[in-house]
């Protein structure tokens, strides 16, 4: 069965993500001009013009090659013939436009976010003269708010006393690193492997909003986080990959603050609000609204809880940062739902009609199952 689809230009599903990225690019150019700051590729180890296409091609290969190998072993045809067949099925022109438009919008938001984050200490420098890496931050106020919320106690110290400083430190270090990998993987799933274009555009747009609002909050309320403003509290934790990462990030900040041009890098320290928590809340809410398998939804919420504990336990964020991040993540999911048409009135809801068309084109679940899922339970992914 063929489904008639309206021709779309590249990135139309992500018009608000593109708009967000362009506004962030304008802000990046303006601040760079006003403060005489360089704009850099956020990933200097592997240039973006190499890494960016490699990520896309790698994700597409992972979508096609395993399917081709599986089908070839069950049918008497050459692997090349099967690969071409699956490519035609999985990657019609409409999905190429969808995936490439989404990836480019995502990368524009990501690259400008990293530069805006790096600008924070310069925007808040006194008088444009020499300043330290900890000038003009709100860490004292954040720490005071945490003690109010925790009835006079430091939440990091409470967690250290409750959970110990051995196994828990290594567990939360692993959680922190997994999060770093999770975000690009989730973007690849939303753009390359899924055929629910309504869900993909919703999620990518929400993440774009997370970065935009996150960068704005960083610039308004700069802070470095407990691990840098109160290092003695975390001195008893064992060496982990995260502790080495924290030292490396502080070295980068000192280098950038000392010589913004000669350092050749970006500083990446900003604590309020926690985008680790914010983007995890975005992921949790989107998988709920999309209706993924129950085990995936439970796993997402469990990982969110672990992320909150990890950021506070390791000192990356104050507890108030986590609260603000959670509020930000929930708001961007709602705002992205309004922007992408995944709504009924002001209530977020996945556009089932587009999901049904996508499933038919890709040979996925029958349309009647998606219709039933609208009122009787989660729709299949």
């Amino acid at each position: 069965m063929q489904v008639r689809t309206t021709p779309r230009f590249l990135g139309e599903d992500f018009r608000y993500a593109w708009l967000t990225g362009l506004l962030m690019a304008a802000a990046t150019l303006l601040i760079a001009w006003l403060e005489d700051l360089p704009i850099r590729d956020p990933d200097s180890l592997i240039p973006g013009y190499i890494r960016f296409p490699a990520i896309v091609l790698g994700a597409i290969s992972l979508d096609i090659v395993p399917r081709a190998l599986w089908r070839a072993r069950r049918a008497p045809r050459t692997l090349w013939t099967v690969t071409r067949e699956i490519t035609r099925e999985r990657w019609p022109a409409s999905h190429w436009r969808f995936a490439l438009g989404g990836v480019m919008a995502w990368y524009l938001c990501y690259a400008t976010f990293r530069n805006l984050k790096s600008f924070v200490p310069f925007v808040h420098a006194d008088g444009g003269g020499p300043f330290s890496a900890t000038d003009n931050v709100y860490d004292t106020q954040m720490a005071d708010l945490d003690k109010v919320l925790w009835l006079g106690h430091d939440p990091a110290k409470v967690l250290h006393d409750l959970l110990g400083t051995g196994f828990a430190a290594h567990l939360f270090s692993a959680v922190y690193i997994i999060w770093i990998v999770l975000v690009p993987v989730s973007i690849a799933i939303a753009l390359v492997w899924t055929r629910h274009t309504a869900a993909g555009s919703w999620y990518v747009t929400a993440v774009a909003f997370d970065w935009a609002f996150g960068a704005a909050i960083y610039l308004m309320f700069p802070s470095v986080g407990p691990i840098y403003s109160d290092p003695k509290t975390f001195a008893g934790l064992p060496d982990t990959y995260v502790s080495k990462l924290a030292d490396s990030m502080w070295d980068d900040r000192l280098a950038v603050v000392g010589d913004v041009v000669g350092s050749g890098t970006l500083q990446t320290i900003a604590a309020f609000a926690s985008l680790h928590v914010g983007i995890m809340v975005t992921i949790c809410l989107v998988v709920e609204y999309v209706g993924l398998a129950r085990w995936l939804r439970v796993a997402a919420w469990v990982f969110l809880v672990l992320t909150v504990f990890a950021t506070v336990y390791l000192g990356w964020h104050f507890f108030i940062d986590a609260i603000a991040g959670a509020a930000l993540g929930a708001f961007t999911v709602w705002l992205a739902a309004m922007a992408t048409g995944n709504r009924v009135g002001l209530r977020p809801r996945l556009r089932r009609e587009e999901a049904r068309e996508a499933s038919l084109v890709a040979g996925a679940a029958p349309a009647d199952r998606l219709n039933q899922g609208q009122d009787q339970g989660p729709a299949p992914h």
Side-chain angles (χ1 to χ4, degrees):
M1 175 180 179
Q2 292 185 341
V3 178
R4 178 180 297 179
T5 57
T6 303
R8 297 187 172 194
F9 58 83
L10 184 65
E12 181 182 357
D13 295 279
F14 305 97
R15 57 172 66 89
Y16 288 97
W18 274 107
L19 177 60
T20 300
L22 291 172
L23 290 174
M24 293 172 71
T28 300
L29 291 170
L30 177 62
I31 294 174
W33 175 65
L34 291 174
E35 302 292 338
D36 194 22
L37 300 171
I39 297 174
R40 301 191 186 279
D41 186 320
D43 300 291
S44 56
L45 182 62
I46 303 177
Y49 60 85
I50 295 176
R51 192 176 62 88
F52 177 65
I55 290 174
V56 176
L57 292 175
I60 292 171
S61 297
L62 286 175
D63 182 63
I64 294 173
V65 173
R67 300 174 191 275
L69 291 173
W70 179 256
R71 188 177 297 184
R73 67 182 287 273
R74 303 177 62 183
R77 286 171 290 170
T78 65
L79 181 60
W80 173 247
T81 300
V82 174
T83 300
R84 290 179 60 189
E85 179 182 282
I86 291 177
T87 301
R88 286 195 299 268
E89 293 174 2
R90 296 283 297 172
W91 288 92
S94 60
H95 201 72
W96 279 105
R97 289 193 296 269
F98 173 81
L100 292 177
V103 170
M104 288 189 291
W106 165 78
Y107 191 79
L108 176 62
C109 293
Y110 166 74
T112 52
F113 166 77
R114 289 287 303 277
N115 277 274
L116 289 169
K117 189 177 185 180
S118 188
F119 293 166
V120 169
F122 298 95
V123 171
H124 289 269
D126 287 328
F131 60 100
S132 76
T134 56
D135 276 345
N136 294 284
V137 294
Y138 287 80
D139 289 75
T140 300
Q141 293 89 330
M142 301 297 178
D144 291 342
L145 284 172
D146 269 10
K147 288 183 178 179
V148 171
L149 294 171
W150 286 66
L151 304 177
H153 300 284
D154 182 327
K157 291 180 180 178
V158 172
L159 292 180
H160 294 169
D161 292 340
L162 181 64
L163 303 175
T165 56
F167 173 77
H170 293 281
L171 171 64
F172 291 137
S173 175
V175 169
Y176 195 88
I177 300 307
I178 291 171
W179 184 95
I180 295 174
V181 177
L182 176 63
V183 173
V185 169
S186 68
I187 295 293
I189 292 171
L191 296 176
V192 174
W193 295 321
T194 186
R195 289 306 180 268
H196 288 194
T197 56
S201 62
W202 185 358
Y203 174 64
V204 173
T205 302
V207 172
F209 290 167
D210 280 324
W211 278 330
F213 285 110
I217 294 171
Y218 289 160
L219 290 164
M220 290 187 291
F221 302 101
S223 64
V224 295
I227 195 171
Y228 301 118
S229 60
D230 183 25
K232 64 181 182 297
T233 297
F234 307 92
L237 296 180
D239 287 338
T240 62
Y241 179 85
V242 165
S243 61
K244 294 179 175 62
L245 177 62
D247 292 340
S248 174
M249 289 171 60
W250 189 250
D251 289 343
D252 286 344
R253 185 180 178 95
L254 292 175
V256 170
V257 167
D259 184 0
V260 66
V261 175
S263 63
T265 189
L266 298 172
Q267 79 85 26
T268 57
I269 295 173
F272 182 83
S274 171
L275 287 191
H276 272 74
V277 174
I279 292 180
M280 269 313 304
V281 169
T282 294
I283 291 173
C284 288
L285 292 177
V286 169
V287 299
E288 287 288 346
Y289 283 122
V290 172
L292 299 191
R294 180 180 177 83
W295 71 269
L296 283 172
R297 288 179 282 145
V298 171
W301 287 106
V302 169
F303 195 78
L304 167 62
V305 173
L306 290 174
T307 299
V308 173
F309 277 107
T311 58
V312 175
Y313 179 98
L314 296 170
W316 290 108
H317 293 285
F318 296 98
F319 185 69
I320 191 66
D321 298 345
I323 294 175
L328 174 63
F331 172 69
T332 58
V333 169
W334 177 84
L335 187 62
M338 302 301 105
T340 58
N342 287 290
R343 63 191 180 94
V344 176
L346 295 178
R347 184 164 60 90
R349 189 173 186 179
L350 180 65
R351 297 199 313 264
R352 298 293 182 176
E353 293 78 10
E354 288 197 14
R356 181 169 63 252
E357 288 188 1
S359 67
L360 287 169
V361 171
D368 57 346
R369 288 182 60 190
L370 284 170
N371 281 331
Q372 293 170 3
Q374 183 169 340
D375 298 313
Q376 299 178 12
H381 182 249

